[in-house]
Amino acid sequence: MSKKETFIKGTIILAVAALVARVLGIAQRVPLEHMLNDVGQASFNFANTLYLMLLTVATAGIPSTLSKMISERHALNKPAEARRVYQAALLFAAAAGVIITVLLYFAAPYYATYVAELPEAAPAIQALAPALLLFPAIAMMRGYFQGRNNMTAGGLSQIVEQIARVVTAIGLAYLLLRMGYDDKWVAAGASFGGVLGSIGAFAVMLYFAAKLRRTDREANMPPADRSIPLRGIYKAIFTLSIPIVLSSMAVPAVNFIDNSIVKPLLTGPIGAEAATAALAVLGTRAQSVAGIPPILAIALSTSLIPIISAAYARKDQEHLEQQVTMAMRVAIMTGMPVVIALCTAAYSINGLLFSNLEGTGIIAFLTFGTILQITMMTTNSILLGIGKAKLSMVHVMVGVVVKLAASFLLAPLFGIYGIIGGTAICFLVITALNLRSIKAIVAFSILGKRWVGFALTVLVSGLGGYGLNQAGIQLVHVMPSRLAFLITCLIVGVVVVVVYLVLMVMFGVLRQSELASYPRPLQKLFRPLMKLQPARLRERG
């Protein structure tokens, strides 16, 4: 199998796993939104946001570093050294899991009460804390398997994790609700689903680890080289991983900031009750829907690092330029139609999934900004691949500072939309800084002079989607509202994607001569459409 096919296969496996996990995540939040009031939703969302950020800190970027170190050592025929590196990572994971769990559990009441001004969130945070005992180890195991070119183990563990999490969260929340507990305890029961999710994911990774050990024994793979001191391994790991963790914390940090500042910034202008309601919509509805467009970018970013790294190490400037160009184009072109469809159908999505139609504007506005999140994540990965993790780290830190400043400046003027606008500005600043640094190393062009055609494609598809949504929601007068919203969502989604693809070809944003450089699934999708392209554009190449 060629390197390109390995890259595409890895991307597809990770994308499918992430998509399934995201769908299951939404499947969890929909019934919880119906069961919990604003305080319960805000408590559950805050617990999850804080947990995800601390998990990023607990794993310290080691999975990506571990994947790189393991693959390099196996390539150099040093499997015993690779096993020793893996052992060191697991030892760190065990210690980090215990420390971070204890800290989170005992600090939860103080943080919920005095920082987030949501004391009801404390039980939900404490209920989720034990999941951090296992997740650092799970993250290390996923990194090790990726280094051994096995994406299936990590992908399957993600799916099992989400299934266990969803079933437990909904089941416990429903049981506690029926038993008469108030919302903060129902939210805590839902949060405990994360603990069962961690147990399910760990079980899957143990299964694959046992399977890999049998394969290694049959291949006479040597045991770990215990003569290698752990101190040297940890020095190498943390030198690489600290910049990576700070780079990868952009999205968790932004979500954490939002959940921490919404009530303090909005309580004065709109009141505590309305601020809690806005926080509930942002966490339960908007962040769930806005998490869909970046799925492919996340998978692409994860698979991209070793490909870019190899081309850069070989000083193969032409191949590096091709890979960077392809990564940026695929990320933008595949993310944009999903963003357009979700934004234009936001009203119908809100009505279909949730208990009322409040917060449609928040959903649409946050989702629109995810195209900048996609470009940020992809450019971050490119910088990591060419060994510029420290630059990526600095850019993310600048972006987070900009996010805070913009939120405090815009919130008094635009309320929750000002805070969301601060997030978009943050991602834009990081993307711009990343692109400037990348272009100083490798010359590449994302779309060149085709931005006008791309902008027209986005505008026409967006107007078409919005018009269809406005027409479709009139169906609520002749059929059950949820059925009307479902039909409208399906029509808008299909039409927006079809119109988008056709216009991309007709306006020459996609060219026949470039198809060979794209992943095979995209080649199969675009090749029949090329007949629609004007001859002058096909000939131009």
Side-chain angles (χ1 to χ4, degrees):
M1 184 179 291
S2 69
K3 290 182 179 179
K4 181 179 176 182
E5 288 173 329
T6 301
F7 163 57
I8 298 304
K9 181 182 177 184
T11 300
I12 290 172
I13 290 172
L14 293 173
V16 169
L19 178 60
V20 172
R22 177 62 60 184
V23 169
L24 288 171
I26 294 175
Q28 169 186 260
R29 287 175 182 260
V30 171
L32 289 179
E33 192 270 343
H34 287 269
M35 284 190 272
L36 298 170
N37 62 19
D38 289 339
V39 170
Q41 290 176 53
S43 299
F44 176 78
N45 296 326
F46 185 74
N48 275 274
T49 303
L50 180 59
Y51 160 78
L52 288 173
M53 195 186 73
L54 288 176
L55 179 60
T56 306
V57 174
T59 53
I62 296 178
S64 297
T65 304
L66 187 61
S67 172
K68 187 174 185 294
M69 294 175 73
I70 295 298
S71 61
E72 287 175 351
R73 279 155 180 77
H74 275 277
L76 296 171
N77 198 27
K78 296 180 179 178
E81 192 172 320
R83 283 196 171 190
R84 183 61 169 167
V85 171
Y86 181 42
Q87 280 186 349
L90 288 178
L91 286 172
F92 169 80
V98 172
I99 293 170
I100 206 85
T101 298
V102 171
L103 285 175
L104 180 59
Y105 186 86
F106 288 104
Y110 177 86
Y111 195 88
T113 302
Y114 298 106
V115 179
E117 297 184 9
L118 190 68
E120 296 89 350
I125 298 171
Q126 291 175 320
L128 190 53
L132 283 167
L133 283 170
L134 291 178
F135 264 118
I138 294 167
M140 303 308 162
M141 295 171 85
R142 286 172 178 168
Y144 177 71
F145 275 93
Q146 285 177 17
R148 297 288 300 269
N149 291 319
N150 184 337
M151 304 294 180
T152 305
L156 187 59
S157 71
Q158 275 186 273
I159 294 171
V160 171
E161 170 201 336
Q162 285 295 333
I163 291 173
R165 177 196 292 264
V166 169
V167 171
T168 306
I170 296 173
L172 269 179
Y174 180 75
L175 183 62
L176 290 170
L177 190 64
R178 296 286 292 179
M179 292 171 66
Y181 285 90
D182 64 25
D183 263 47
K184 73 175 182 179
W185 294 108
V186 176
S191 292
F192 190 73
V195 179
L196 272 294
S198 71
I199 294 171
F202 191 57
V204 172
M205 296 310 297
L206 286 178
Y207 167 78
F208 277 99
K211 190 176 178 181
L212 184 59
R213 276 198 300 271
R214 287 196 299 270
T215 304
D216 287 347
R217 276 199 303 268
E218 292 169 1
N220 294 318
M221 194 80 73
D225 185 354
R226 295 181 180 273
S227 66
I228 302 173
L230 292 176
R231 181 180 298 178
I233 294 174
Y234 285 133
K235 182 179 179 182
I237 288 176
F238 288 117
T239 300
L240 290 169
S241 64
I242 289 176
I244 291 176
V245 67
L246 292 175
S247 299
S248 61
M249 276 187 67
V251 176
V254 164
N255 289 340
F256 173 73
I257 289 169
D258 283 347
N259 280 273
S260 300
I261 66 175
V262 165
K263 279 204 71 178
L265 288 183
L266 299 186
T267 295
I270 64 176
E273 188 175 333
T276 303
L279 179 58
V281 169
L282 180 68
T284 301
R285 306 188 190 193
Q287 288 176 359
S288 297
V289 176
I292 296 174
I295 286 173
L296 182 61
I298 294 169
L300 179 69
S301 301
T302 305
S303 300
L304 184 67
I305 295 175
I307 307 295
I308 298 288
S309 182
Y312 184 70
R314 293 195 308 268
K315 302 188 186 305
D316 187 345
Q317 202 71 6
E318 183 180 349
H319 185 60
L320 181 61
E321 181 181 332
Q322 290 173 353
Q323 291 297 322
V324 170
T325 300
M326 183 184 77
M328 291 302 300
R329 284 184 180 176
V330 170
I332 294 172
M333 290 179 181
T334 57
M336 199 69 229
V338 184
V339 169
I340 297 169
L342 292 175
C343 286
T344 55
Y347 185 91
S348 298
I349 292 170
N350 202 13
L352 172 65
L353 297 179
F354 303 111
S355 58
N356 55 54
L357 290 164
E358 293 176 6
T360 295
I362 297 174
I363 295 172
F365 196 33
L366 186 69
T367 303
F368 185 73
T370 55
I371 191 63
L372 297 173
Q373 180 184 334
I374 288 170
T375 57
M376 177 203 70
M377 294 170 69
T378 307
T379 52
N380 271 349
S381 290
I382 293 170
L383 283 177
L384 294 178
I386 58 179
K388 302 296 179 183
K390 289 183 180 178
L391 267 180
S392 174
M393 172 188 72
V394 171
H395 296 166
V396 166
M397 292 172 71
V398 170
V400 169
V401 171
V402 169
K403 156 67 184 172
L404 276 168
S407 295
F408 277 87
L409 181 66
L410 298 175
L413 300 173
F414 305 106
I416 187 68
Y417 294 100
I419 294 174
I420 296 172
T423 298
I425 294 170
C426 165
F427 294 155
L428 178 61
V429 167
I430 297 172
T431 297
L433 292 172
N434 286 349
L435 286 173
R436 187 184 66 174
S437 297
I438 294 167
K439 286 190 174 183
I441 297 167
V442 54
F444 73 97
S445 174
I446 303 173
L447 291 175
K449 297 179 180 179
R450 306 176 207 176
W451 283 108
V452 173
F454 182 72
L456 286 172
T457 299
V458 171
L459 180 62
V460 173
S461 346
L463 289 174
Y466 181 76
L468 283 171
N469 183 74
Q470 292 303 106
I473 58 180
Q474 304 306 314
L475 294 172
V476 297
H477 301 299
V478 295
M479 62 178 68
S481 60
R482 290 195 189 277
L483 179 59
F485 290 137
L486 174 61
I487 292 171
T488 304
C489 287
L490 293 174
I491 292 173
V492 171
V494 170
V495 172
V496 163
V497 171
V498 170
V499 170
Y500 175 87
L501 293 175
V502 169
L503 292 180
M504 288 280 280
V505 172
M506 291 183 67
F507 289 147
V509 182
L510 286 166
R511 304 282 174 84
Q512 174 82 40
S513 59
E514 297 169 344
L515 276 186
S517 66
Y518 287 98
R520 286 185 180 178
L522 292 182
Q523 290 182 35
K524 292 178 181 177
L525 177 64
F526 290 130
R527 190 165 282 119
L529 295 174
M530 285 299 163
K531 297 175 183 178
L532 300 172
Q533 192 163 79
R536 59 185 176 81
L537 294 177
R538 287 203 301 269
E539 292 166 5
R540 188 181 301 174

